[in-house]
Amino acid sequence: MIASPRLLISCLLTAFATGSFAQDALPEVKQLKGEPLLSALPSGAVAFAETSGLDGLIAALKASPIYQTLMESEQFKEFHSTEEFEKVQNGLSLAEFILRMDLWEAGEKIFGGRAGLALYPKKEGEQPDVLFLLRPADPRAWSKQRIWTDPLLGLAAKRIDRKRFSWGLKAYEVHGDGDSSAFFALHKDWVAFSTNAKLLEKTISLQIDDPKERTRRKLKKTPSLENDAAFKRMAGMVGGDHLARVLVDTKTISKATGGRLGLPEKMDNALVSLVAGGILEMAAQSNYGTITLDTDEHGIVLEAGFDGDPDKLDERFQVFFSDHPNSGPPALPEVPGLIGGFSIYRDLATWYKGRDEFLVESTLPGFDKFEAGVGNLLPGKDIGEDVLPLLGNSVTFVSALQSYDHLKGEPGIKLPGFAFIIELEEAEQATDIFQLFFQTLLSVLNFEAGKQNRQPWLIDVKMSEEIKITTARYLENPKGEDLSIVFNFLPASARVGNNYIVSSSLELCEQLVDALAKPESDQRIDENLHFEVRFQPLANILAANSDHFEAQRVSEGRTAKQAKADISLFLTIMRGLGAFSISTSADQDGFKFRVTGSLNQAK
Amino acid sequence: MAHLLERYDSARHGWSRREATHLLWRCAAGASPSEIDRSVDEGMTKSVARLIDSQPESDEFTATENLLHRSALKSGNINSLKNWWLYRFLKTANPLAEKMTLFWHNHFATSNAKVRSTEKMDVQNALIRQHALGNFAELFRTIARDVAMLLWLDGNANRKRHPNENFAREVMELFALGVGNYSEKDIKETARAFTGWHVRNDEFWFNKVQHDAGKKTILGKSGPFKGDDVLEIFLEHPACARFVATKLLAGFVRHDPDSAMVDALAERIRAHKFEIAPVVQELISSQVFYAPTSRRALIKSPVELVVGAHRTLDGRAHLSECVQLMSDLGQNLFEPPTVKGWEGGRLWINSATMLQRANFASQVTGGERFGKFGASPRTRGSESETVTSYLDLLLAGSVSKSTHQELTNYLRKAGGSTKEQTSGLVQLIMTLPEYQLI
């Protein structure tokens, strides 16, 4: 986006490194430090990003066990001896020499304050102008740089408007490639940079609260971004107290990019359409979008969203959204060793029938192949007419650790069990269809097993909590410590109320039957999609297969010892993590996307 | 005829880096500078003995090889098993045994493309390795009952009332006698003898009910022969030793051995009662092996190309990428293209594979796709001496004066660091036609 990234980087580095401030204090400079920067940047931007108080995060990162583990690892020591590290180290050493402080400290003292970046549109086809404002957490640290960096600044940049910008405030111009220039202003309390001189002037004006001071410097009073209706609304929605926030005027960007934010009306990927079709349509019609990043006592939280109302979208997009409240998909059932999964609301039948309205022409033949393939497993049935209408509006997928009681031994590669829980509209009919599918699939798999001299499956029935579970068992229970990977699978299916479970593991199916039999399983989450991963059980399954991963690392050129250390480090880091989740929701207030990540709290 | 296999008199004819490199490239698919130095110091007899006799493996090799092997069997992934085998080639202290394992894998060609079982291919590979420098007769008897072999050659389809000739034909044509040493009737009768040689519960099973116990006449002999009896008939036939001799000469000496050479070696095979180790020992100690007409008379197979580069240039291979490269060059381990195996020779080289060999050279010297190479630059006093040093390392012999001059000119004009210059030189040498030969 920036016309000359090199120019930008060199200017930023120069600005950071210099901080040439006047000895004299400026009278009545508006103390904006600590205040959100929307009021400190001129109006007219299409996007604005701000960070605040990153010093806490930087300090936490440095003190974190994960960081310590990485720094003490053999892998980092190996990286130490490479040419790439030497180059990076030289660059960092130079920066520390110029800054006269260690970079961690510089990060805390510089980014501990507030930093804001805004983009301003230019003529069509031209790159937007950039404006950057930084208010360091500790301005005193800046003043210490002047002695070392003033001479450097004289070499790198040309001082401009000496009469206006003197006495505690200096402005500079740096020439880049071709005709491009960049401008920056240095004050004892802040640094501003822009690719546009007028923008810089307006920004300087906004930092000066005293009208007399503005007059003396021939600066006009200028409206700030805070006054722009879109940003005012967005700021009101998200608030000012975030580690980072991004506000985007999507309506203006859409106009500049030919509408719809450049998003196509139809997708060329069926999965993207199914998962995100409605969201992308809301985004294409939105007026603004926001992102915020915070930490809480559990970990990190990223929230994004844009305005809109799914009810106001075209009728066909209603397949992607649940009716609020409490009609979202069910929560993930709690089963022992749950690794994670997702739960999603989708009117799959309607989406499938109307797929040519969501997907480009070139993807449609794929569905014909899919139907032909599924047709072999559902003799006499059409998936669009006979199967999908029997389904409800939510699907849940779970994955969990499994034991191997069905074997006299264990598979060499251990996989988790996984299952789909499909909500049914017509439970009895749907159950028969799924049974037919299951039966036919097993027959096909047994043909293959026969060709490869593997154990075939026999259909069997078990009862659990008065629920009938259809499963398959091996003709002879395989024996051995490193059995084939196929022995991770013991397919099972069951219907519990209006839910149909299809599982790769009988054990998981039984656990899900227990979980779904509980009254609380009827509860719905107020979300459209929920995805979750729990790192402890995930680390357990990866550890159970660690020698396989070590072998892969050896295949990539590592020695056995190095491979072991690599996997060990990876697992240590993974065990330091808690959980990760993504959830989405949409209502008349707009669309929300939320990502959370936590560390392992166990001692 | 015996004189063709007379011992090479290294004291008289010389034992230099050229001879040592020739021996190690032919028997170990390459060697590091220190290994060549050791061979020069030890002399021919000890160098040959070191190749023939079993050497102890290092702890690191054993640990890594076990890890890769275990992972391949656990996952059932044939590509992982290929990685394992390539690792053995690269790091084993017994490279000749590994070469012979590949040699017999090609001879008793069996492909996972049809067998579709990593475990069964591994069992066959272990069986071959066990007998690689052992007794051919024993290997022949054992592999005829190997499950992967029977699946590959449709053993279970061979039944009393419908004998399947596939197994019989391949045993005679490709494993024991060679084309022209049997008749169609012999094939039909042999097929009858092998009826009932089936696989059941993943094991060899002699299905008596499906065996044709009647009288057969095979290669002039008559009797109610079973499969094992037929194997003995083949082993006793003069064509068998000649067939094995032809293969060994093509693998170690030249692609087109003449009849006299074949007869000489066949006589030694019979004298040693099909024990391969002493036969190979004599062969790689013989005049014919070191004769000028035998130097650079073989085209490097993809395995020899990849393994050789890593051994010579101290490489740590990216096994998966190297396995894929070898497959792209026409040698997919555990998956020979047909029952005839990899025919090799001139068929390794065509316009597409030459380009891929050149790309390999480029990556070896300037990239990391196939692994990391740690050999230090071998600069000498002058550019010409440096070129000679690298030619000694990479080629078992010299090049023409004009080629040498061109390489020297390159080095003179090349910019960059010493490492960059020598990398460029190595790349040029690796793309020479001479480099494709051993």
Side-chain angles (χ1 to χ4, degrees):
Chain A
M1 263 204 311
I2 311 294
S4 176
R6 269 177 35 201
L7 174 63
L8 169 63
I9 291 165
S10 62
C11 289
L12 283 174
L13 284 173
T14 309
F16 289 157
T18 56
S20 180
F21 305 107
Q23 289 282 359
D24 314 46
L26 280 178
E28 293 181 41
V29 172
K30 186 173 168 186
Q31 290 301 320
L32 293 171
K33 191 173 75 170
E35 299 278 331
L37 294 181
L38 267 184
S39 55
L41 296 181
S43 66
V46 291
F48 166 76
E50 179 181 28
T51 65
S52 168
L54 285 181
D55 53 342
L57 184 65
I58 292 171
L61 175 66
K62 195 178 173 191
S64 71
I66 289 179
Y67 176 76
Q68 297 300 326
T69 304
L70 272 171
M71 291 299 111
E72 288 162 12
S73 67
E74 286 302 317
Q75 288 80 354
F76 188 71
K77 287 176 193 162
E78 266 179 58
F79 179 56
H80 250 278
S81 58
T82 61
E83 266 182 50
E84 286 83 6
F85 181 83
E86 211 179 305
K87 284 179 193 166
V88 168
Q89 188 62 41
N90 290 341
L92 293 176
S93 299
L94 179 64
E96 285 178 345
F97 173 75
I98 293 171
L99 288 168
R100 284 296 186 272
M101 66 175 80
D102 135 311
L103 284 175
W104 284 107
E105 190 187 349
E108 287 177 45
K109 288 184 175 173
I110 296 169
F111 290 102
R114 284 192 185 258
L117 180 79
L119 298 177
Y120 293 81
K122 279 159 73 170
K123 286 183 233 165
E124 198 179 317
E126 287 187 26
Q127 300 267 19
D129 276 316
V130 174
L131 176 63
F132 176 80
L133 176 68
L134 172 68
R135 291 208 184 115
D138 184 359
R140 288 172 301 175
W142 281 103
S143 61
K144 292 179 188 172
Q145 309 307 316
R146 281 182 292 158
I147 298 166
W148 312 105
T149 54
D150 251 354
L152 288 174
L153 190 61
L155 293 172
K158 181 181 102 181
R159 182 98 184 262
I160 55 174
D161 283 331
R162 278 177 184 271
K163 284 185 184 167
R164 278 207 296 164
F165 301 127
S166 62
W167 192 49
L169 170 61
K170 291 179 185 174
Y172 296 87
E173 180 179 359
V174 178
H175 286 288
D177 300 333
D179 292 331
S180 64
S181 289
F183 308 88
F184 58 94
L186 301 172
H187 183 270
K188 71 176 178 59
D189 291 331
W190 49 265
V191 176
F193 161 88
S194 182
T195 51
N196 181 296
K198 279 201 165 24
L199 274 177
L200 185 74
E201 193 173 306
K202 288 180 184 177
T203 306
I204 294 171
S205 171
L206 284 167
Q207 310 315 307
I208 298 171
D209 211 26
D210 181 7
K212 285 182 191 165
E213 184 59 30
R214 276 206 296 276
T215 306
R216 192 171 74 80
R217 292 185 189 274
K218 294 180 188 166
L219 293 166
K220 292 180 195 162
K221 190 170 166 125
T222 189
S224 72
L225 208 48
E226 195 182 46
N227 300 120
D228 283 359
F231 285 93
K232 198 169 181 175
R233 184 145 180 218
M234 284 190 268
M237 274 175 60
V238 304
D241 278 328
H242 297 282
L243 215 52
R245 61 175 180 164
V246 178
L247 310 176
V248 181
D249 181 354
T250 53
K251 187 175 178 183
T252 306
I253 292 175
S254 252
K255 275 188 196 159
T257 55
R260 295 181 58 86
L261 278 178
L263 295 168
E265 287 194 36
K266 293 187 179 184
M267 305 287 139
D268 59 3
N269 184 302
L271 189 61
V272 168
S273 170
L274 188 60
V275 173
I279 297 163
L280 292 173
E281 189 59 27
M282 278 187 79
Q285 296 185 27
S286 68
N287 295 308
Y288 51 80
T290 63
I291 304 174
T292 60
L293 177 70
D294 293 286
T295 56
D296 61 18
E297 67 273 19
H298 301 299
I300 203 159
V301 179
L302 174 85
E303 287 188 335
F306 37 81
D307 69 313
D309 185 347
D311 290 338
K312 291 186 179 156
L313 293 177
D314 190 83
E315 178 72 31
R316 67 185 193 272
F317 290 102
Q318 301 311 311
V319 303
F320 298 105
F321 304 104
S322 60
D323 301 322
H324 279 264
N326 297 325
S327 63
L332 290 186
E334 281 294 335
V335 293
L338 179 69
I339 294 172
F342 66 81
S343 201
I344 186 169
Y345 175 98
R346 281 299 175 270
D347 183 351
L348 192 55
T350 310
W351 177 85
Y352 190 86
K353 271 194 178 164
R355 60 191 182 273
D356 51 347
E357 301 211 47
F358 299 116
L359 299 169
V360 299
E361 183 80 30
S362 56
T363 61
L364 299 177
F367 286 89
D368 298 334
K369 281 189 197 165
F370 167 69
E371 287 185 14
V374 170
N376 290 331
L377 299 172
L378 283 171
K381 299 292 174 192
D382 179 84
I383 186 164
E385 292 299 320
D386 300 317
V387 179
L388 292 177
L390 304 176
L391 306 182
N393 292 334
S394 72
V395 174
T396 303
F397 172 83
V398 293
S399 180
L401 302 176
Q402 59 174 327
S403 60
Y404 298 98
D405 296 338
H406 58 284
L407 304 172
K408 291 177 189 164
E410 288 183 343
I413 302 281
K414 293 168 186 53
L415 300 178
F418 57 87
F420 282 95
I421 305 168
I422 304 164
E423 190 184 47
L424 304 176
E425 189 68 27
E426 305 286 343
E428 293 287 343
Q429 255 184 289
T431 304
D432 285 344
I433 293 285
F434 280 124
Q435 275 295 98
L436 173 63
F437 178 85
F438 192 73
Q439 218 165 268
T440 317
L441 180 64
L442 270 187
S443 307
V444 168
L445 291 173
N446 276 347
F447 270 121
E448 281 303 307
K451 281 188 204 170
Q452 293 173 31
N453 270 316
R454 279 193 288 104
Q455 283 291 329
W457 279 317
L458 287 180
I459 291 189
D460 198 2
V461 173
K462 290 189 181 298
M463 297 301 292
S464 176
E465 307 280 339
E466 297 179 359
I467 301 288
K468 186 176 90 171
I469 300 177
T470 308
T471 182
R473 63 175 175 85
Y474 298 110
L475 189 57
E476 283 174 26
N477 241 357
K479 270 186 266 191
E481 280 317 304
D482 286 334
L483 296 170
S484 169
I485 195 170
V486 296
F487 294 116
N488 278 283
F489 299 95
L490 198 64
S493 66
R495 175 166 75 90
V496 181
N498 278 352
N499 291 298
Y500 195 82
I501 304 167
V502 181
S503 176
S504 69
S505 152
L506 172 61
E507 183 186 27
L508 178 58
C509 191
E510 288 171 330
Q511 289 165 350
L512 287 171
V513 165
D514 290 345
L516 291 178
K518 292 177 181 148
E520 53 265 32
S521 70
D522 288 337
Q523 280 176 4
R524 300 294 187 160
I525 52 176
D526 197 15
E527 292 166 0
N528 198 262
L529 162 76
H530 181 82
F531 167 82
E532 189 177 323
V533 172
R534 298 179 188 182
F535 288 102
Q536 296 312 301
L538 181 59
N540 288 346
I541 193 80
L542 295 175
N545 295 300
S546 61
D547 55 354
H548 176 69
F549 295 115
E550 285 171 25
Q552 277 187 326
R553 293 294 286 152
V554 168
S555 293
E556 290 161 8
R558 305 285 279 167
T559 65
K561 192 175 162 194
Q562 286 171 333
K564 202 171 187 67
D566 291 345
I567 302 305
S568 174
L569 176 65
F570 177 73
L571 288 173
T572 302
I573 290 172
M574 189 159 281
R575 290 201 196 281
L577 302 173
F580 173 83
S581 74
I582 296 175
S583 56
T584 69
S585 62
D587 56 29
Q588 69 271 20
D589 293 329
F591 169 79
K592 291 182 189 62
F593 172 91
R594 184 180 161 96
V595 176
T596 64
S598 64
L599 299 177
N600 184 12
Q601 305 292 331
K603 300 287 176 206
Chain B
M1 278 186 310
H3 73 278
L4 290 169
L5 293 170
E6 252 177 41
R7 193 178 167 76
Y8 175 74
D9 186 347
S10 57
R12 189 169 154 216
H13 299 294
W15 182 254
S16 67
R17 290 188 72 80
R18 297 261 161 102
E19 282 70 39
T21 309
H22 173 70
L23 173 69
L24 291 173
W25 268 101
R26 287 277 171 100
C27 296
S32 65
S34 60
E35 285 170 339
I36 297 173
D37 290 339
R38 182 178 62 190
S39 177
V40 171
D41 291 340
E42 284 180 339
M44 186 187 80
T45 306
K46 275 195 180 159
S47 298
V48 168
R50 182 183 286 281
L51 288 166
I52 295 286
D53 300 336
S54 177
Q55 306 300 321
E57 301 285 2
S58 67
D59 290 341
E60 186 185 339
F61 172 83
T62 305
T64 307
E65 188 259 358
N66 279 342
L67 174 69
L68 290 169
H69 191 226
R70 217 168 47 237
S71 171
L73 293 179
K74 276 189 184 187
S75 65
N77 186 329
I78 194 64
N79 290 323
S80 299
L81 198 67
K82 293 174 190 175
N83 291 349
W84 161 78
W85 198 3
L86 178 59
Y87 179 80
R88 290 193 62 97
F89 277 116
L90 290 164
K91 298 295 183 186
T92 182
N94 298 281
L96 179 59
E98 221 51 50
K99 175 180 169 118
M100 290 307 297
T101 306
L102 180 61
F103 178 89
W104 295 123
H105 171 54
N106 191 30
H107 181 83
F108 296 107
T110 311
S111 175
N112 185 63
K114 186 170 174 184
V115 173
R116 293 173 66 184
S117 166
T118 302
E119 191 191 341
K120 293 182 182 73
M121 294 305 296
D122 178 64
V123 166
Q124 188 190 82
N125 191 263
L127 188 158
I128 291 173
R129 185 171 290 101
Q130 183 189 352
H131 297 286
L133 281 167
N135 189 285
F136 171 78
E138 194 50 41
L139 174 59
F140 183 52
R141 291 178 195 117
T142 321
I143 207 159
R145 290 168 169 247
D146 172 66
V147 169
M149 180 61 72
L150 286 164
L151 291 173
W152 171 240
L153 295 177
D154 303 315
N156 275 21
N158 197 10
R159 294 167 177 260
K160 188 157 82 173
R161 270 171 281 280
H162 299 283
N164 183 296
E165 294 173 13
N166 203 12
F167 187 73
R169 183 184 301 281
E170 307 321 342
V171 167
M172 298 178 84
E173 178 182 334
L174 299 172
F175 300 167
L177 305 177
V179 173
N181 293 303
Y182 52 87
S183 65
E184 280 301 307
K185 188 158 190 300
D186 289 323
I187 293 175
K188 286 180 179 1
E189 296 288 270
T190 302
R192 288 175 58 211
F194 282 121
T195 49
W197 274 40
H198 290 177
V199 172
R200 180 170 167 253
N201 290 334
D202 279 349
E203 287 177 345
F204 172 81
W205 174 51
F206 179 59
N207 187 349
K208 253 192 248 178
V209 170
Q210 286 296 340
H211 176 64
D212 178 349
K215 184 179 162 191
K216 300 107 181 164
T217 302
I218 301 170
L219 296 173
K221 296 188 178 174
S222 295
F225 299 130
K226 290 195 181 119
D228 292 326
D229 302 321
V230 171
L231 296 179
E232 297 309 313
I233 291 172
F234 295 158
L235 283 167
E236 286 162 11
H237 195 284
C240 185
R242 290 195 87 247
F243 188 54
V244 174
T246 306
K247 288 283 189 92
L248 284 171
L249 285 165
F252 282 96
V253 180
R254 39 188 318 118
H255 291 304
D256 52 348
D258 61 44
S259 189
M261 227 186 283
V262 170
D263 287 339
L265 192 62
E267 191 270 322
R268 300 310 298 152
I269 290 171
R270 280 189 286 270
H272 285 296
K273 296 185 176 29
F274 284 101
E275 287 291 338
I276 295 300
V279 170
V280 170
Q281 186 164 19
E282 287 179 15
L283 182 60
I284 63 177
S285 307
S286 69
Q287 291 219 33
V288 73
F289 183 76
Y290 294 98
T293 50
S294 299
R295 309 274 182 121
R296 289 200 196 145
L298 298 176
I299 296 175
K300 276 182 196 164
S301 68
V303 168
E304 285 163 338
L305 177 76
V306 170
V307 172
H310 283 87
R311 288 180 85 103
T312 307
L313 296 170
D314 188 26
R316 184 175 297 289
H318 191 306
L319 297 172
S320 312
E321 291 286 348
C322 289
V323 159
Q324 183 58 50
L325 172 68
M326 288 170 356
S327 173
D328 292 342
L329 289 172
Q331 193 166 29
N332 193 357
L333 295 175
F334 293 110
E335 295 187 53
T338 66
V339 289
K340 286 185 181 175
W342 298 288
E343 292 191 54
R346 292 297 298 263
L347 295 179
W348 289 135
I349 299 288
N350 57 49
S351 53
T353 58
M354 270 314 296
L355 189 57
Q356 283 171 311
R357 287 180 179 230
N359 286 341
F360 173 63
S362 168
Q363 279 292 322
V364 163
T365 54
E368 291 188 351
R369 185 175 159 202
F370 298 110
K372 289 184 183 169
F373 293 83
S376 308
R378 293 163 62 89
T379 46
R380 299 291 183 264
S382 67
E383 288 92 355
S384 177
E385 285 166 342
T386 301
V387 167
T388 303
S389 163
Y390 273 102
L391 288 172
D392 278 347
L393 172 69
L394 294 166
L395 301 179
S398 62
V399 294
S400 67
K401 271 190 185 159
S402 59
T403 303
H404 195 287
Q405 188 58 52
E406 280 187 46
L407 292 171
T408 307
N409 289 344
Y410 161 78
L411 209 53
R412 278 197 188 121
K413 288 176 191 165
S417 64
T418 305
K419 193 171 175 201
E420 285 162 352
Q421 289 169 2
T422 51
S423 291
L425 176 63
V426 168
Q427 182 180 351
L428 284 175
I429 294 174
M430 286 178 72
T431 52
L432 289 174
E434 289 90 336
Y435 185 77
Q436 315 310 320
L437 305 172
I438 48 171

